């Protein structure tokens, strides 16, 4: 029995089991500058709809987005398309991520941030 039941999982809904939550179609943002992309990701990291995820992703964004390359920012943008609870459980290492995220440097960095080995007191960064 899974101790970390996801809200849309079979265990939670008692409906037919779906291995992964289907993602909405991706919105392509052609000609978006790196600065605009970075600003959008800061906002989207903070406004997730789940306090735990907001705190985790907004502090990660505040510490890391300024040093990420455009390609890394696009990868983070794709991660933010995933369901909030999935990102939370993958980053807290309570659930295995799907193959598309399993061995990425981005998820490794997010997991290190989540472990907070320096015992940093975190609060929501200013927008």
């Amino acid at each position: 029995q899974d101790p970390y039941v996801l809200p849309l999982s079979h265990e939670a809904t008692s409906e037919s089991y779906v291995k992964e939550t289907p993602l909405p179609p991706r919105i392509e943002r052609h000609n978006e500058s790196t600065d605009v992309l970075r600003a959008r990701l800061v906002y989207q990291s903070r406004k997730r709809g789940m306090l735990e995820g907001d705190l985790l992703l907004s502090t990660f964004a505040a510490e890391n987005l300024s040093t990420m390359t455009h390609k890394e920012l696009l990868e983070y943008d794709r991660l933010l398309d995933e369901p909030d609870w999935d990102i939370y459980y993958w980053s807290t290492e309570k659930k295995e991520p799907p193959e598309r995220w399993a061995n990425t440097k981005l998820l490794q960095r997010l997991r290190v941030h989540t472990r907070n080995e320096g015992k940093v007191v975190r609060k929501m960064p200013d927008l």
Side-chain angles (χ1 to χ4, degrees):
Q1 184 74 15
D2 188 350
Y4 304 101
V5 178
L6 294 173
L8 298 177
S9 69
H10 170 67
E11 295 86 356
T13 62
S14 298
E15 295 176 9
S16 63
Y17 179 73
V18 177
K19 188 170 184 175
E20 286 188 43
T21 304
L23 299 178
R26 183 158 173 74
I27 298 171
E28 296 298 331
R29 294 173 170 89
H30 302 287
N31 302 321
E32 184 176 50
S33 71
T34 301
D35 290 337
V36 171
L37 171 61
R38 189 173 282 118
R40 180 173 57 79
L41 294 176
V42 166
Y43 183 83
Q44 288 181 330
S45 296
R46 169 100 183 237
K47 302 295 183 180
R48 303 294 302 174
M50 180 183 109
L51 185 58
E52 298 88 342
D54 291 352
L55 180 61
L56 177 66
L57 292 173
S58 65
T59 55
F60 177 81
E63 293 176 13
N64 292 281
L65 292 188
S66 64
T67 60
M68 287 179 155
T69 65
H70 189 82
K71 184 178 178 182
E72 291 170 327
L73 292 171
L74 291 174
E75 182 181 27
Y76 184 66
D77 188 20
R78 284 190 300 279
L79 178 67
L80 294 183
D81 287 342
E82 299 285 351
D84 294 341
W85 281 109
D86 289 349
I87 297 170
Y88 179 78
Y89 286 132
W90 300 336
S91 62
T92 57
E93 302 179 65
K94 301 297 183 188
K95 284 207 169 249
E96 288 298 316
E99 189 174 323
R100 67 182 171 272
W101 295 111
N103 297 311
T104 62
K105 289 182 182 180
L106 175 61
L107 185 56
Q108 290 172 356
R109 286 172 73 178
L110 183 56
R111 285 177 165 176
V112 167
H113 176 79
T114 302
R115 285 193 289 268
N116 194 13
E117 293 170 347
K119 305 295 183 208
V120 175
V121 176
R122 294 189 172 142
K123 66 177 187 117
M124 293 288 193
D126 294 330
L127 284 177

